[in-house]
């Protein structure tokens, strides 16, 4: 199936009864095009995540990608880290993992890897990890479960291990928040999304994507045990940040 067949037309036609956004077969098929056109500097964020992961991935440990979607991060990281490192991709969408497995095989993935279907709201298993990645994933975890998830990640990291997060965020001030959202929708228009697509996706995401302020994310990380945090990327209402376990 060529790239032309995988374009994001999920919200192109009018939807009579809007429902919450789901990562089913339709989204999985169009996902790579969707994030490249919907997330500012997505490819650069991926490059930065990989760069940071290379710095901290240790031999004989695990690299865990929570919400791995179609496996883009694992594929990008694969050539640069020790062959004894196991990759674990976790996602709650069977369709996403199916697409991920196809892409890994197409990339001639030789290293030990495991794809796990699991809900991050439940009791997932993280152990012996030198790197854990949450790329546009934490925002989909219901707020009441986020602190528990971050604590579980902290406990599953080896000393010196890192948690790398990229996330849609709220501005610290409501004035800037309104401006940043406007600039973001302008960005989507420049990437050829129609007003209907923008509006319908916004409605579909309203109850499932709940962003926090950057300061709120850092507070959660500190309370989970991470003593060091730093921002490595910022574009209006998108950010990337890293936390290190002592």
């Amino acid at each position: 199936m060529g790239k032309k067949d995988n374009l994001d037309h999920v919200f192109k036609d009018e939807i009579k009864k809007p429902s919450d956004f789901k990562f089913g077969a339709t989204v999985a098929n169009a996902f790579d095009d969707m994030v490249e056109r919907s997330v500012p500097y997505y490819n650069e964020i991926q490059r930065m995540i990989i760069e940071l992961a290379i710095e901290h991935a240790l031999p004989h440990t695990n690299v865990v990608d929570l919400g791995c979607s179609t496996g883009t991060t694992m594929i990008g990281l694969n050539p640069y880290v020790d062959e004894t490192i196991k990759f674990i991709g976790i996602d709650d969408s069977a369709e996403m993992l199916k697409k991920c497995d196809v892409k890994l095989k197409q990339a001639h993935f030789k290293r030990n890897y495991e794809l796990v279907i699991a809900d991050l709201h439940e009791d997932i298993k993280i152990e012996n990890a030198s790197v854990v990645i949450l790329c546009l994933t934490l925002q989909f975890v219901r707020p009441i479960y986020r602190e528990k998830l971050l604590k579980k990640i902290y406990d599953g990291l080896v000393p010196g291990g890192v948690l790398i997060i990229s996330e849609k965020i709220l501005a610290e001030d409501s004035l800037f928040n309104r401006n940043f959202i406007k600039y973001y929708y302008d960005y989507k228009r420049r990437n050829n999304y129609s007003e209907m697509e923008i509006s319908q996706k916004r409605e579909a995401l309203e109850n499932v994507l709940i962003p926090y302020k950057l300061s709120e994310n850092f507070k959660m990380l500190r309370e989970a045990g991470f003593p060091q945090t730093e921002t490595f990327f910022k574009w209006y209402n998108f950010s990337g940040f890293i936390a290190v376990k002592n």
Side-chain angles (χ1 to χ4, degrees):
M1 188 177 286
K3 186 169 178 63
K4 192 176 290 186
D5 301 310
N6 296 326
L7 298 180
D8 176 17
H9 299 307
V10 175
F11 294 97
K12 189 171 185 179
D13 298 322
E14 185 177 1
I15 300 169
K16 299 296 183 185
K17 289 180 67 178
S19 59
D20 288 348
F21 188 86
K22 291 182 175 63
F23 291 93
T26 304
V27 171
N29 189 51
F31 184 78
D32 291 342
D33 181 61
M34 180 183 287
V35 290
E36 285 186 25
R37 292 168 61 206
S38 298
V39 179
Y41 294 96
Y42 177 72
N43 291 324
E44 179 64 7
I45 292 169
Q46 280 288 342
R47 191 198 65 78
M48 295 172 85
I49 289 172
I50 289 163
E51 204 165 52
L52 290 163
I54 292 168
E55 191 73 23
H56 294 92
L58 299 174
H60 305 288
T61 64
N62 298 322
V63 168
V64 183
D65 190 352
L66 298 174
C68 64
S69 62
T70 64
T72 298
T73 309
M74 291 188 288
I75 291 168
L77 181 59
N78 180 52
Y80 302 107
V81 296
D82 192 274
E83 63 183 14
T84 64
I85 294 171
K86 180 180 178 180
F87 284 6
I88 301 173
I90 299 177
D91 206 288
D92 69 352
S93 168
E95 297 295 340
M96 281 289 196
L97 290 180
K98 192 183 299 181
K99 180 88 172 177
C100 178
D101 200 37
V102 168
K103 283 178 60 177
L104 294 181
K105 287 180 169 62
Q106 288 174 342
H108 306 293
F109 229 65
K110 302 297 184 188
R111 80 168 57 247
N112 185 16
Y113 74 90
E114 183 181 3
L115 300 181
V116 180
I117 184 162
D119 186 341
L120 297 187
H121 300 97
E122 305 296 334
D123 194 23
I124 61 166
K125 186 172 161 185
I126 300 172
E127 57 186 9
N128 191 38
S130 56
V131 177
V132 175
I133 297 163
L134 283 165
C135 182
L136 304 169
T137 299
L138 189 60
Q139 61 200 26
F140 288 105
V141 175
R142 290 193 291 278
I144 194 170
Y145 291 96
R146 291 185 193 183
E147 290 181 21
K148 181 181 176 183
L149 175 62
L150 293 177
K151 185 67 171 69
K152 183 177 288 291
I153 292 169
Y154 180 86
D155 292 341
L157 284 166
V158 300
V162 299
L163 169 59
I164 304 171
I165 301 174
S166 65
E167 191 84 341
K168 193 173 184 182
I169 60 168
L170 294 173
E172 300 293 329
D173 184 281
S174 59
L175 167 65
F176 295 119
N177 203 52
R178 286 192 296 274
N179 290 343
F180 291 175
I181 289 170
K182 174 183 177 295
Y183 304 152
Y184 176 50
Y185 291 150
D186 287 344
Y187 169 86
K188 296 186 85 166
R189 292 181 187 101
R190 291 196 300 274
N191 279 322
N192 300 313
Y193 281 115
S194 68
E195 296 303 318
M196 181 185 290
E197 287 175 294
I198 292 170
S199 173
Q200 292 192 147
K201 188 172 183 182
R202 181 176 64 239
E203 286 183 38
L205 287 170
E206 190 173 12
N207 296 319
V208 292
L209 193 164
I210 302 172
Y212 277 10
K213 296 175 182 178
L214 198 51
S215 60
E216 292 171 328
N217 279 300
F218 283 167
K219 181 174 183 287
M220 277 198 308
L221 288 166
R222 287 194 300 272
E223 290 174 351
F226 291 98
Q228 296 170 279
T229 56
E230 185 58 73
T231 304
F232 65 85
F233 174 86
K234 181 79 165 65
W235 184 96
Y236 295 134
N237 55 342
F238 283 83
S239 185
F241 40 101
I242 184 170
V244 183
K245 178 176 178 176
N246 278 350

